[in-house]
Amino acid sequence: MNCSISGEVPEEPVVSSKSGLLFEKRLIERHILDYGKCPITGEPLTLEDIVPIKIGKIVKPRPVQAASIPGMLTMFQNEWDGLMLSNFALEQQLHTARQELSHALYQHDAACRVIARLKRERDEARSLLAQAERHIPIYTANAVTVNASSLSNGKRAAEEEDLAHGGKKMRPGITSSVISELTECNAALSQQRKKRQIPATLAPVDAVERYTQISSHPFHKTNKPGILSIDIVHSKDIIATGGIDTSAVIFDRPSGQILSTLSGHSKKVTSVRFVAEGDLFLTGSADKTVRLWQGSDDGNYNCKHVLKDHTAEVQAVTVHATNNYFVTASLDNTWCFYELSSGTCLTQVTDSPGSSEGYASAAFHPDGLILGTGTTEGLVKIWDVKSQANVARFDGHVGMVTAISFSENGYFLATAAHDGVKLWDLRKLKNFRNFSPYDPDTPTNSVEFDHSGSYLAVAGSDIRIYQVANVKSEWNCIKTFPDLSGTGKATCVKFGPDAQYIAVGSMDRNLRIFGLPGEDGPTES
């Protein structure tokens, strides 16, 4: 009989009392000490379960191959071949085990990252819930006061009842004190504009003509690429981008470092705007909300207010020159005027109730008493902020008005739509020049005057820089940058301080900086 492990005739045979299998004593004892179970059946096995068998001394017969030297060599060769095949099989098993281990480690790492993200989202949700709970007593107290006054005033009670049944929200309105503040700001800015001169540090035309890409910075997620909005704090040279991946990124250009990544919106961020020196920051989103962020000393931004006054996507956010108020425009065909410090919506304006067109763009005039909005139906509307009256309408565009920009001299308005760019003279309320840089199937996504009013940037399937002239003179295209994203869609463009560089966002995840080659600063991030 042969050993169940080696297949050879055992020198010291033993038998398992549990399975009745025969083993070589030294082999089964070693296996029991290592594994504690039967190598054949897998049942638990101890040394006490092994019973020795008493037999006479066994003389192993010599195999036929060992009777001659050639036979022995053949036997050794067969043994060697068997050893090599066994070694190869073991190497294959080791390789497979390594691959399985690598895959398991990758899955573990991915699971850890998902868990960390879920924990972060849970903490954010808890924080927002805590903020909401802190406000509940205030709202409750206000409700008690309103109900008490309603009992003493039948007309007020009827108004509250209409509101409860889906009527329009009551707004404080733009008060006389706010109007006085806006008027004083307008007077001061208008006076300064008369003495305003082009700064000596402004990039000259020949420098702009030599601009090329000097850096590219991948900010947003690869699974949802696309930058939809850009804003810059000129005094600090800080750039903000809003992306399709629902986040906004604050970037310090001189150091090439990301200062903060703002998460909280549930859909794409359509508009980003800094307030004053960048201590406050605004984001508008397709999730119908606007968020007001407060900067901290460590460079991070915390969400101060979540504004939910719109019923459709928020497409544009623009800040008043006082830095105390801002306006949001939405596809719900309304624009809202907010007080910045409290996040209160003072008024919500609808031009034509029941109209299907919404607002796709908005911008304040440099003096602050005029607001421009662009609709999804190709119409540009000019509003008197004090009275919220629509004082002018410019038509002629085809498709949605994607962007509007006022020149800093206060005379010109540039609007972009599917059919290109139109320039308007605000003094005569006339269209005096049109640019159609792209083919009929390519919309113009962005248009922007620089702060000096000397240059105009246009973005679509490429980026074009025009030299600003007057109504009668020609506006020459001095530079064309190709869209290096490969998407054919440059979505937003912004001039840096004194037009020393141009920031461009596209439908990939990169913020691209165009300027003079050799300019100080990181080339990649």
Side-chain angles (χ1 to χ4, degrees):
M1 296 182 67
N2 296 332
C3 172
S4 298
I5 295 178
S6 66
E8 301 289 339
V9 177
E11 296 178 359
E12 294 182 79
V14 293
V15 65
S16 170
S17 62
K18 291 187 175 181
S19 63
L21 296 171
L22 184 69
F23 300 101
E24 176 71 57
K25 183 179 179 181
R26 58 183 174 81
L27 294 179
I28 191 62
E29 287 180 348
R30 180 66 179 270
H31 190 277
I32 290 173
L33 291 175
D34 288 343
Y35 301 104
K37 61 182 180 180
C38 177
I40 306 302
T41 65
E43 297 177 351
L45 193 63
T46 64
L47 295 177
E48 287 75 12
D49 297 325
I50 300 303
V51 179
I53 301 176
K54 294 182 179 181
I55 59 173
K57 184 170 178 65
I58 300 173
V59 179
K60 295 182 180 179
R62 178 180 295 180
V64 177
Q65 295 89 340
S68 65
I69 291 177
M72 293 176 66
L73 291 175
T74 302
M75 184 175 62
F76 292 154
Q77 182 65 50
N78 292 337
E79 289 291 335
W80 174 259
D81 292 343
L83 180 61
M84 289 299 100
L85 291 173
S86 176
N87 185 52
F88 176 76
L90 289 174
E91 288 182 350
Q92 291 291 96
Q93 292 176 2
L94 176 61
H95 180 69
T96 302
R98 283 178 173 171
Q99 286 184 324
E100 292 176 352
L101 177 60
S102 175
H103 183 66
L105 290 174
Y106 177 79
Q107 285 185 321
H108 176 267
D109 180 63
C112 289
R113 283 186 275 118
V114 170
I115 292 171
R117 178 175 58 81
L118 292 175
K119 285 183 176 180
R120 184 173 66 252
E121 292 177 353
R122 178 201 64 188
D123 294 340
E124 290 176 354
R126 286 178 175 174
S127 176
L128 293 174
L129 181 61
Q131 292 179 12
E133 288 175 347
R134 285 197 298 270
H135 286 77
I136 286 175
I138 299 176
Y139 297 150
T140 305
N142 289 342
V144 171
T145 304
V146 170
N147 289 337
S149 62
S150 297
L151 293 175
S152 60
N153 188 333
K155 182 179 179 181
R156 177 68 175 274
E159 291 175 353
E160 294 297 330
E161 184 177 358
D162 291 340
L163 179 58
H165 286 82
K168 191 175 180 180
K169 292 182 180 179
M170 300 296 292
R171 306 293 185 190
I174 300 180
T175 63
S176 57
S177 60
V178 174
I179 292 176
S180 298
E181 182 180 359
L182 301 182
T183 304
E184 291 174 4
C185 176
N186 172 73
L189 292 176
S190 298
Q191 190 65 28
Q192 293 175 9
R193 187 162 288 107
K194 295 178 181 179
K195 304 176 182 178
R196 188 170 175 273
Q197 296 181 349
I198 296 177
T201 53
L202 179 71
V205 173
D206 60 341
V208 176
E209 291 174 343
R210 291 183 286 117
Y211 279 6
T212 185
Q213 178 176 310
I214 57 176
S215 64
S216 177
H217 309 277
F219 288 157
H220 296 272
K221 296 178 181 177
T222 54
N223 60 336
K224 292 183 178 179
I227 296 175
L228 300 180
S229 181
I230 292 177
D231 198 23
I232 301 176
V233 180
H234 286 190
S235 60
K236 298 180 180 179
D237 206 359
I238 296 175
I239 304 175
T241 63
I244 293 178
D245 64 352
T246 73
S247 66
V249 175
I250 311 294
F251 172 67
D252 181 61
R253 193 190 75 87
S255 67
Q257 300 296 317
I258 293 178
L259 301 180
S260 185
T261 299
L262 311 184
S263 301
H265 286 292
S266 60
K267 294 184 179 180
K268 61 185 178 182
V269 177
T270 55
S271 183
V272 295
R273 287 293 178 270
F274 284 108
V275 181
E277 298 300 304
D279 295 331
L280 292 173
F281 183 64
L282 292 161
T283 56
S285 170
D287 64 7
K288 308 175 187 178
T289 68
V290 178
R291 287 178 178 254
L292 173 59
W293 307 80
Q294 175 72 58
S296 57
D297 295 335
D298 59 1
N300 290 322
Y301 284 76
N302 300 312
C303 184
K304 186 178 179 183
H305 296 293
V306 180
L307 312 176
K308 302 179 179 180
D309 296 285
H310 289 291
T311 59
E313 294 184 11
V314 178
Q315 292 285 72
V317 178
T318 179
V319 180
H320 190 268
T322 58
N323 292 312
N324 294 328
Y325 308 96
F326 67 94
V327 162
T328 62
S330 168
L331 293 180
D332 63 4
N333 193 35
T334 69
W335 57 268
C336 293
F337 186 93
Y338 289 92
E339 183 181 54
L340 193 64
S341 59
S342 64
T344 302
C345 178
L346 300 183
T347 186
Q348 186 169 15
V349 180
T350 304
D351 181 33
S352 303
S355 174
S356 61
E357 66 180 20
Y359 295 114
S361 53
F364 270 114
H365 185 274
D367 289 340
L369 289 184
I370 294 176
L371 175 72
T373 58
T375 73
T376 56
E377 302 298 324
L379 190 62
V380 179
K381 300 180 180 181
I382 305 298
W383 304 82
D384 179 2
V385 177
K386 293 189 294 183
S387 63
Q388 301 94 63
N390 182 201
V391 294
R393 296 188 178 211
F394 301 145
D395 55 15
H397 268 304
V398 175
M400 178 171 65
V401 180
T402 54
I404 64 177
S405 178
F406 287 96
S407 173
E408 191 63 24
N409 63 11
Y411 298 153
F412 302 137
L413 170 65
T415 58
H418 194 93
D419 57 343
V421 174
K422 292 183 180 293
L423 297 173
W424 310 86
D425 185 349
L426 297 176
R427 295 164 294 186
K428 298 182 179 180
L429 301 179
K430 290 178 59 178
N431 171 221
F432 67 91
R433 185 160 281 100
N434 300 320
F435 300 134
S436 298
Y438 311 118
D439 60 72
D441 296 328
T442 303
T444 303
N445 297 317
S446 181
V447 63
E448 183 78 19
F449 282 103
D450 79 300
H451 188 261
S452 71
S454 301
Y455 301 111
L456 178 72
V458 176
S461 59
D462 57 26
I463 304 95
R464 306 189 182 200
I465 310 300
Y466 292 85
Q467 185 178 11
V468 173
N470 54 36
V471 173
K472 296 182 179 180
S473 302
E474 191 65 29
W475 295 41
N476 297 317
C477 180
I478 59 176
K479 184 66 176 180
T480 299
F481 304 107
D483 175 41
L484 300 177
S485 70
T487 63
K489 293 181 181 179
T491 55
C492 45
V493 60
K494 204 83 174 178
F495 285 95
D498 293 324
Q500 295 295 330
Y501 66 85
I502 298 166
V504 176
S506 303
M507 285 306 291
D508 67 348
R509 57 194 289 253
N510 290 284
L511 168 70
R512 290 179 169 81
I513 306 296
F514 294 86
L516 286 177
E519 182 182 275
D520 293 337
T523 57
E524 292 293 335
S525 173

